[in-house]
Amino acid sequence: MKKTIYSKFDKNAIGSLPRVEFPGRIITIFTAGEAEKAVDYLLHADILGVDTETKPAFKRGQSHKVALLQVATRDTCFLFRLNMMGMPPAVIRLLEDITIPKIGLSWHDDILSLRRRAEFKPGKFIDLQNMVGDIGIKDLSLQKLYANIFQQKISKRQRLTNWEADVLTSKQQQYAAIDAWACINLYEEVCRLKKTGDYDLVVVPEPEPVAVPVEQEAVNQ
């Protein structure tokens, strides 16, 4: 049976879907020495999922540097605490690697954030947002893409929590790991669907534009 996917997924349907849980190991990296060992391990993988987290700013004019870089294989996710160790040479080596595909979502923005910590030449990165249109999907958020393709919900409750906390909670760690690991799953499934054509695309019509009364147009002008 072919998989049914939608050009745009109904956000209201996400809440009733089963929740995604990261099934593997989560390892937090605090020092440059730990980063060296983690990167040596990661560079033996055949594919990596990547994402970043930044402490939210709630005041006008306030901003923070990226606090966390999460990098996942199919069964392990490393959480690099950049707010504690900066950008050691091992992390730069990972980001500049040109041999292993690193899958992200809106990764251009993450690269800009990481470059505010240290300059580097981006290696082999693939952005899911540049791929999903090939199978007719217009949504660009991770939550909608995962719900559409896998019928599972990625919770976003931890997104606006403090990513510079001394100790990340288990929920924060799960959230961070899922966001990186999910990119691998999406990439491989989108590639499979493109290759096999094993899907039916339901094209969801765009909402009709709301007509503005002529009298209101005159007032607005």
Side-chain angles (χ1 to χ4, degrees):
M1 181 181 294
K2 289 187 174 183
K3 175 174 286 192
T4 299
I5 59 175
Y6 299 84
S7 60
K8 287 197 170 184
F9 195 81
D10 181 4
K11 187 174 182 179
N12 295 323
I14 294 176
S16 62
L17 297 176
R19 200 150 105 182
V20 178
E21 298 288 342
F22 180 66
R25 300 181 299 162
I26 300 175
I27 301 172
T28 304
I29 305 299
F30 296 97
T31 68
E34 292 172 348
E36 284 287 347
K37 294 177 182 177
V39 169
D40 285 345
Y41 178 91
L42 288 166
L43 291 180
H44 282 88
D46 64 331
I47 189 171
L48 298 171
V50 291
D51 193 25
T52 66
E53 304 297 340
T54 301
K55 181 180 178 179
F58 297 110
K59 295 181 180 178
R60 186 183 296 244
Q62 185 183 59
S63 64
H64 302 282
K65 290 184 178 180
V66 59
L68 187 73
L69 169 67
Q70 55 263 48
V71 186
T73 66
R74 291 183 181 85
D75 61 10
T76 303
C77 185
F78 290 90
L79 307 181
F80 295 87
R81 300 296 308 273
L82 302 184
N83 61 302
M84 295 184 176
M85 64 179 175
M87 293 273 280
V91 171
I92 301 295
R93 177 161 60 97
L94 175 67
L95 295 172
E96 293 189 333
D97 170 73
I98 60 173
T99 62
I100 301 168
K102 300 162 196 70
I103 318 301
L105 189 80
S106 188
W107 188 243
H108 178 265
D109 296 335
D110 292 289
I111 287 176
L112 290 177
S113 297
L114 289 165
R115 278 178 142 174
R116 292 189 186 103
R117 281 204 170 271
E119 188 55 49
F120 63 93
K121 183 178 180 181
K124 190 173 183 177
F125 289 100
I126 298 171
D127 195 325
L128 287 166
Q129 290 186 343
N130 298 331
M131 296 178 56
V132 294
D134 294 341
I135 57 173
I137 294 177
K138 296 181 179 180
D139 290 321
L140 298 178
S141 77
L142 184 69
Q143 188 184 55
K144 280 191 174 183
L145 288 174
Y146 214 84
N148 195 352
I149 291 178
F150 293 111
Q151 293 294 306
Q152 290 181 298
K153 173 188 175 182
I154 293 178
S155 172
K156 307 304 288 183
R157 288 186 178 180
Q158 300 301 311
R159 184 170 68 90
L160 296 179
T161 56
N162 181 11
W163 294 101
E164 294 183 6
D166 290 342
V167 178
L168 297 179
T169 67
S170 59
K171 289 183 178 179
Q172 283 179 304
Q173 292 178 37
Q174 268 280 321
Y175 173 92
I178 286 170
D179 274 9
W181 169 77
C183 290
I184 297 176
N185 298 341
L186 284 169
Y187 173 78
E188 293 186 329
E189 183 64 0
V190 170
C191 287
R192 185 188 74 82
L193 294 176
K194 279 180 62 177
K195 182 177 179 179
T196 64
D198 188 27
Y199 65 94
D200 289 316
L201 176 68
V202 177
V203 178
V204 179
E206 297 287 342
E208 292 290 332
V210 178
V212 178
V214 175
E215 295 82 358
Q216 186 63 47
E217 284 187 352
V219 170
N220 291 341
Q221 292 174 358

